[in-house]
Amino acid sequence: MLTIYTAPSCTSCKKAKTWLTYHNIPFQERNLIGDPLSAEEISRILEKCDDGVEELISSRNRFVKTLGVDFEDLSLSAAIKIISENPQIMRRPIIMDEKRLHVGYNEEEIRAFLPRTVRILENGGARLRNAI
Protein backbone atom coordinates (compact mmCIF):
# COMPACT_ATOMS: atom_id res chain seq x y z
CA MET A 1 0.00 0.00 0.00
CA LEU A 2 1.21 3.46 -0.87
CA THR A 3 1.67 5.93 1.97
CA ILE A 4 1.80 9.68 1.47
CA TYR A 5 3.18 11.80 4.28
CA THR A 6 1.72 15.30 4.16
CA ALA A 7 1.14 18.57 6.00
CA PRO A 8 -2.20 20.39 6.05
CA SER A 9 -1.15 23.59 4.26
CA CYS A 10 1.20 21.95 1.75
CA THR A 11 0.22 22.76 -1.85
CA SER A 12 2.50 20.05 -3.26
CA CYS A 13 0.82 17.50 -0.98
CA LYS A 14 -2.59 18.49 -2.32
CA LYS A 15 -1.34 18.15 -5.90
CA ALA A 16 0.12 14.72 -5.19
CA LYS A 17 -3.09 13.47 -3.54
CA THR A 18 -5.13 14.80 -6.47
CA TRP A 19 -2.79 13.07 -8.94
CA LEU A 20 -2.93 9.75 -7.06
CA THR A 21 -6.73 9.92 -6.80
CA TYR A 22 -7.08 10.80 -10.50
CA HIS A 23 -4.97 7.75 -11.41
CA ASN A 24 -6.95 5.48 -9.06
CA ILE A 25 -3.92 4.70 -6.93
CA PRO A 26 -5.04 3.85 -3.40
CA PHE A 27 -3.03 5.46 -0.62
CA GLN A 28 -2.94 6.02 3.09
CA GLU A 29 -2.29 9.57 4.22
CA ARG A 30 -0.36 10.54 7.31
CA ASN A 31 -0.13 14.10 8.56
CA LEU A 32 3.51 14.68 9.54
CA ILE A 33 2.63 17.62 11.75
CA GLY A 34 -0.36 16.13 13.58
CA ASP A 35 1.15 12.65 13.80
CA PRO A 36 4.96 13.03 13.67
CA LEU A 37 7.18 10.15 12.66
CA SER A 38 9.13 8.23 15.25
CA ALA A 39 12.91 7.92 14.98
CA GLU A 40 12.44 4.34 13.74
CA GLU A 41 10.05 5.46 10.99
CA ILE A 42 12.45 8.18 9.89
CA SER A 43 15.24 5.59 9.76
CA ARG A 44 13.12 3.35 7.50
CA ILE A 45 12.47 6.26 5.15
CA LEU A 46 16.15 7.21 5.12
CA GLU A 47 17.06 3.66 4.09
CA LYS A 48 15.33 4.39 0.78
CA CYS A 49 16.85 7.86 0.27
CA ASP A 50 19.56 8.13 -2.37
CA ASP A 51 20.88 11.40 -0.96
CA GLY A 52 20.58 10.66 2.75
CA VAL A 53 19.25 13.17 5.26
CA GLU A 54 19.59 16.08 2.82
CA GLU A 55 16.88 14.52 0.65
CA LEU A 56 14.36 14.81 3.51
CA ILE A 57 15.25 18.28 4.77
CA SER A 58 13.78 21.40 3.22
CA SER A 59 16.85 23.61 3.29
CA ARG A 60 14.78 26.69 2.33
CA ASN A 61 12.41 26.11 5.25
CA ARG A 62 12.47 28.94 7.81
CA PHE A 63 12.44 26.39 10.66
CA VAL A 64 15.62 24.79 9.32
CA LYS A 65 17.29 28.20 9.26
CA THR A 66 16.28 28.95 12.86
CA LEU A 67 17.79 25.65 14.01
CA GLY A 68 21.18 26.77 12.72
CA VAL A 69 22.23 23.17 12.15
CA ASP A 70 24.40 21.83 9.35
CA PHE A 71 22.99 18.36 8.80
CA GLU A 72 26.13 17.29 6.94
CA ASP A 73 28.11 17.69 10.17
CA LEU A 74 25.71 15.63 12.32
CA SER A 75 25.73 11.95 13.06
CA LEU A 76 22.79 10.04 11.61
CA SER A 77 21.24 9.51 15.04
CA ALA A 78 21.51 13.23 15.88
CA ALA A 79 19.92 14.18 12.54
CA ILE A 80 17.09 11.71 13.06
CA LYS A 81 16.46 13.08 16.55
CA ILE A 82 16.23 16.66 15.22
CA ILE A 83 13.89 15.57 12.40
CA SER A 84 11.61 13.66 14.77
CA GLU A 85 11.43 16.67 17.12
CA ASN A 86 10.88 19.15 14.25
CA PRO A 87 8.69 17.46 11.60
CA GLN A 88 8.02 20.80 9.92
CA ILE A 89 11.58 20.75 8.49
CA MET A 90 10.84 17.76 6.28
CA ARG A 91 10.22 18.16 2.56
CA ARG A 92 6.73 17.14 1.54
CA PRO A 93 5.03 15.14 0.32
CA ILE A 94 6.91 11.95 0.99
CA ILE A 95 5.40 9.17 -1.10
CA MET A 96 6.47 5.64 -0.32
CA ASP A 97 5.58 2.04 -0.94
CA GLU A 98 7.44 -1.17 -0.16
CA LYS A 99 10.06 -0.55 -2.88
CA ARG A 100 10.07 3.12 -3.83
CA LEU A 101 10.37 6.54 -2.28
CA HIS A 102 9.69 9.93 -3.79
CA VAL A 103 10.13 13.22 -1.95
CA GLY A 104 8.37 16.34 -3.19
CA TYR A 105 5.91 16.61 -6.05
CA ASN A 106 7.12 16.10 -9.59
CA GLU A 107 4.51 14.80 -12.02
CA GLU A 108 7.05 12.94 -14.15
CA GLU A 109 8.74 11.22 -11.21
CA ILE A 110 5.51 10.35 -9.40
CA ARG A 111 4.56 8.26 -12.45
CA ALA A 112 6.81 5.53 -11.01
CA PHE A 113 3.89 4.67 -8.73
CA LEU A 114 1.60 3.87 -11.65
CA PRO A 115 1.20 0.14 -12.22
CA ARG A 116 3.77 -1.08 -14.74
CA THR A 117 1.12 -2.11 -17.26
CA VAL A 118 -0.36 1.40 -17.24
CA ARG A 119 3.09 2.99 -17.72
CA ILE A 120 3.79 0.68 -20.67
CA LEU A 121 0.42 1.44 -22.27
CA GLU A 122 0.85 5.18 -21.79
CA ASN A 123 4.42 5.15 -23.12
CA GLY A 124 3.32 3.09 -26.12
CA GLY A 125 0.52 5.57 -26.77
CA ALA A 126 2.96 8.48 -26.56
CA ARG A 127 5.32 6.80 -29.01
CA LEU A 128 2.42 6.12 -31.37
CA ARG A 129 1.29 9.78 -31.18
CA ASN A 130 4.83 10.96 -31.85
CA ALA A 131 5.13 8.66 -34.88
CA ILE A 132 2.00 10.09 -36.47
Side-chain angles (χ1 to χ4, degrees):
M1 167 68 75
L2 190 72
T3 302
I4 180 169
Y5 299 93
T6 64
S9 61
C10 173
T11 304
S12 295
C13 297
K14 292 173 186 171
K15 288 179 184 178
K17 292 188 305 185
T18 298
W19 189 93
L20 292 169
T21 301
Y22 176 81
H23 288 88
N24 297 313
I25 299 173
F27 62 91
Q28 296 175 11
E29 180 179 4
R30 175 144 174 210
N31 179 334
L32 289 170
I33 308 305
D35 187 11
L37 299 172
S38 68
E40 293 158 9
E41 291 171 313
I42 294 168
S43 293
R44 281 197 300 272
I45 291 171
L46 285 170
E47 288 172 2
K48 294 182 180 185
C49 287
D50 292 333
D51 297 327
V53 172
E54 290 78 23
E55 188 172 345
L56 285 185
I57 303 301
S58 177
S59 58
R60 296 180 298 181
N61 184 302
R62 64 186 163 107
F63 294 108
V64 172
K65 292 176 182 175
T66 61
L67 288 173
V69 173
D70 185 352
F71 283 91
E72 290 182 16
D73 293 340
L74 295 177
S75 68
L76 183 59
S77 60
I80 290 171
K81 183 177 188 308
I82 290 171
I83 294 168
S84 66
E85 293 172 352
N86 301 279
Q88 68 274 23
I89 69 173
M90 296 178 75
R91 288 182 61 211
R92 301 172 299 262
I94 298 170
I95 306 168
M96 191 168 106
D97 65 11
E98 300 79 30
K99 300 175 190 170
R100 296 166 292 222
L101 171 79
H102 180 71
V103 180
Y105 177 74
N106 177 305
E107 192 167 338
E108 287 301 314
E109 293 175 13
I110 197 173
R111 296 181 62 74
F113 291 101
L114 283 171
R116 188 168 193 264
T117 54
V118 173
R119 288 193 319 263
I120 290 169
L121 286 172
E122 287 185 0
N123 286 340
R127 281 192 289 262
L128 181 61
R129 283 190 300 277
N130 290 336
I132 297 176

